[in-house]
């Protein structure tokens, strides 16, 4: 259950958007939920900053392209003057994606694609995603937390209630790495990959919940910030040493054995209706574990829900090694929590230690 910043009261939201249509749509969707109160609207970044200071909302939905002051500039002012949870409303374009990642670096917690068309399905998906992300980010940590509080131990701790050792095959030396993430993941993954050296001897596959237009620009961004080579995956790509492949948005990604290596196969969402989140972390890790017979390291970073747990469970059954991000440094402790409480995390680590640990275990 989500814990709102003001327990016992409604979640207070400020809507900032220069489009009167979008203000109406967002307000209408949010106000239909009895747990949410829209305390104000703003027509541009200047008014957004003013109302954030005056109203002190629990959360702000922020458009990116606005007159007088754009959403990213407004976000930076708000984070400097009155740090607040901010959910960016992004256009489904490459330019919108690049601006969104800049906003996440500036302190936004998450984003929602602005995909309100005449399509009934598109409208339904937007409504559901808006409510899910508003409620999900409401209980998240505010601000960047790369390391746990000073009083907390930074040593790896063993996940509780692990499966009996006798029921597992012996642990294998990882030959591949699979990483999954969602909310908070774009920034977290950049931190993790940035701590892995360019001469890393194994291929890395990443699945992060993103729309189709976002994964390409995100891979390009990571490639400029990491020593490793990062690219969006395509059908037939082979996992290679020192290369990170990012699963393309809008489809699911599976890994299959091909000769002495492992290759990418992308699938339409209709081919895998059992997976809610796209790209599915469960499907990526499960298929990679099968393709390499468990000789891999699975890593689950911050994110809502439990995507990745079934994949990690399958990996453990095949003798693989697993890491989950700790609660203290997770934006949303959903996906890692599922792995920890489900007993499938060998190590639970703060974000800054995960990259070095990947390099140590699989290097």
């Amino acid at each position: 259950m989500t814990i709102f910043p003001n327990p016992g009261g409604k979640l207070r939201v400020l809507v900032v958007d220069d489009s009167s249509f979008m203000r109406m749509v967002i307000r209408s969707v949010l106000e239909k939920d009895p747990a949410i109160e829209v305390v104000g609207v703003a027509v541009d970044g200047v008014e957004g900053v003013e109302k954030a200071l005056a109203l002190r909302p629990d959360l702000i939905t922020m458009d990116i392209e606005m007159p007088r002051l754009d959403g990213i500039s407004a976000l930076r002012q708000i984070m400097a003057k009155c740090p607040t949870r901010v959910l960016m409303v992004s256009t489904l374009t490459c330019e919108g994606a690049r601006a969104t990642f800049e906003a996440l670096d500036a302190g936004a917690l998450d984003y929602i694609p602005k995909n309100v068309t005449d399509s009934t399905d598109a409208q339904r998906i937007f409504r559901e995603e808006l409510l899910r992300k508003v409620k999900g980010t409401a209980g998240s940590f505010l601000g960047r937390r790369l390391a746990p509080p000073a009083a907390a131990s930074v040593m790896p701790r063993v996940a509780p209630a692990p499966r009996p050792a006798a029921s597992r095959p012996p642990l294998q030396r990882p030959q591949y790495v699979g990483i999954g993430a969602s909310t908070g993941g774009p920034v977290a993954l950049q931190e993790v990959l940035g701590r892995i050296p360019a001469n890393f001897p194994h291929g890395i596959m990443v699945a992060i919940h993103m729309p189709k237009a976002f994964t390409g620009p995100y891979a390009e961004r990571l490639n400029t910030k990491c020593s490793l080579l990062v690219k969006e995956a395509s059908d037939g790509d082979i996992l290679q040493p020192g290369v990170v492949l990012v699963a393309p948005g809008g489809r699911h990604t599976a890994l299959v054995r091909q000769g002495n290596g492992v290759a990418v196969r992308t699938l339409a969402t209709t081919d895998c209706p059992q997976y809610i989140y796209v790209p599915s972390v469960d499907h990526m890790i499960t298929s990679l574990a099968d393709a390499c017979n468990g000789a891999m390291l699975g890593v689950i970073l911050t994110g809502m829900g439990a995507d990745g747990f079934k994949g990690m469970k399958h990996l453990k059954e095949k003798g693989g090694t697993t890491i989950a991000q700790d609660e203290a440094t997770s934006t949303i402790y959903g996906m890692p929590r599922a792995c920890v409480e489900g007993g499938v995390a060998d190590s639970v680590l703060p974000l800054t230690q995960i990259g070095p640990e990947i390099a140590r275990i699989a290097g």
Side-chain angles (χ1 to χ4, degrees):
M1 182 176 67
T2 299
I3 302 174
F4 288 166
N6 51 339
K10 291 187 176 184
L11 174 65
R12 303 172 66 255
V13 179
L14 170 65
V15 177
V16 184
D17 202 300
D18 67 322
S19 164
S20 59
F21 172 72
M22 285 306 302
R23 292 196 302 273
M24 177 194 70
V25 169
I26 294 172
R27 182 166 198 161
S28 174
V29 171
L30 296 181
E31 287 187 333
K32 287 179 181 176
D33 192 301
I36 299 173
E37 177 187 6
V38 177
V39 294
V41 296
V43 300
D44 58 36
V46 172
E47 188 178 8
V49 174
E50 292 172 350
K51 290 197 172 180
L53 292 170
L55 299 173
R56 300 288 170 147
D58 300 315
L59 183 140
I60 300 170
T61 67
M62 179 77 73
D63 189 20
I64 292 179
E65 297 179 7
M66 294 183 291
R68 292 209 294 169
L69 189 68
D70 64 84
I72 297 174
S73 299
L75 167 68
R76 290 192 175 113
Q77 289 191 26
I78 290 169
M79 297 309 289
K81 297 175 181 178
C82 60
T84 308
R85 293 166 180 81
V86 177
L87 179 68
M88 304 305 292
V89 182
S90 312
T91 56
L92 273 172
T93 64
C94 288
E95 293 75 17
R98 293 186 182 101
T100 299
F101 301 136
E102 187 178 346
L104 294 175
D105 277 348
L109 288 174
D110 202 359
Y111 63 91
I112 179 169
K114 186 186 293 186
N115 189 26
V116 184
T117 65
D118 291 336
S119 164
T120 302
D121 279 347
Q123 293 173 11
R124 174 186 57 78
I125 291 170
F126 179 81
R127 289 195 303 269
E128 292 174 353
E129 280 291 282
L130 178 62
L131 283 172
R132 184 176 72 86
K133 293 202 170 188
V134 164
K135 288 185 170 184
T137 54
S140 64
F141 289 123
L142 178 59
R144 195 66 40 78
R145 298 184 67 178
L146 298 182
S153 170
V154 296
M155 294 297 292
R157 58 186 175 89
V158 178
R163 294 171 59 87
S167 69
R168 298 177 181 150
L171 291 178
Q172 306 182 60
R173 181 173 177 81
Q175 298 300 311
Y176 298 94
V177 178
I179 305 176
S182 184
T183 308
V187 175
L189 187 61
Q190 181 177 307
E191 163 69 23
V192 169
L193 296 180
R195 292 174 180 262
I196 300 175
N199 63 350
F200 187 69
H202 305 299
I204 300 175
M205 188 73 225
V206 169
I208 185 168
H209 301 155
M210 279 186 183
K212 181 178 179 180
F214 278 41
T215 44
Y218 180 60
E220 292 172 4
R221 182 181 181 87
L222 284 177
N223 192 51
T224 66
K225 294 180 176 293
C226 304
S227 299
L228 299 162
L229 173 64
V230 185
K231 66 182 290 287
E232 184 181 37
S234 299
D235 265 310
D237 281 348
I238 304 295
L239 281 182
Q240 299 179 10
V243 177
V244 180
L245 297 181
V246 177
R251 296 177 67 79
H252 293 302
T253 290
L255 288 308
V256 297
R257 197 75 193 175
Q258 183 169 301
N260 293 326
V262 171
V264 170
R265 292 288 182 269
T266 63
L267 303 165
T269 55
T270 52
D271 293 334
C272 308
Q274 69 271 35
Y275 298 116
I276 299 172
Y277 301 104
V278 184
S280 167
V281 177
D282 275 328
H283 193 42
M284 182 274 287
I285 290 181
T286 297
S287 63
L288 181 52
D290 286 340
C292 67
N293 197 29
M296 67 169 282
L297 170 62
V299 181
I300 297 297
L301 303 177
T302 173
M304 285 187 234
D307 190 20
F309 167 70
K310 291 180 180 178
M312 295 278 269
K313 183 175 184 290
H314 183 73
L315 173 59
K316 287 305 303 172
E317 290 169 351
K318 295 188 75 70
T321 306
T322 57
I323 297 174
Q325 185 176 348
D326 71 355
E327 182 174 10
T329 63
S330 294
T331 301
I332 300 283
Y333 192 54
M335 290 166 58
R337 181 194 294 275
C339 294
V340 173
E341 294 185 351
V344 299
D346 293 320
S347 299
V348 184
L349 300 173
L351 187 59
T352 54
Q353 291 188 20
I354 293 176
E357 185 68 358
I358 291 173
R360 186 191 72 80
I361 293 175

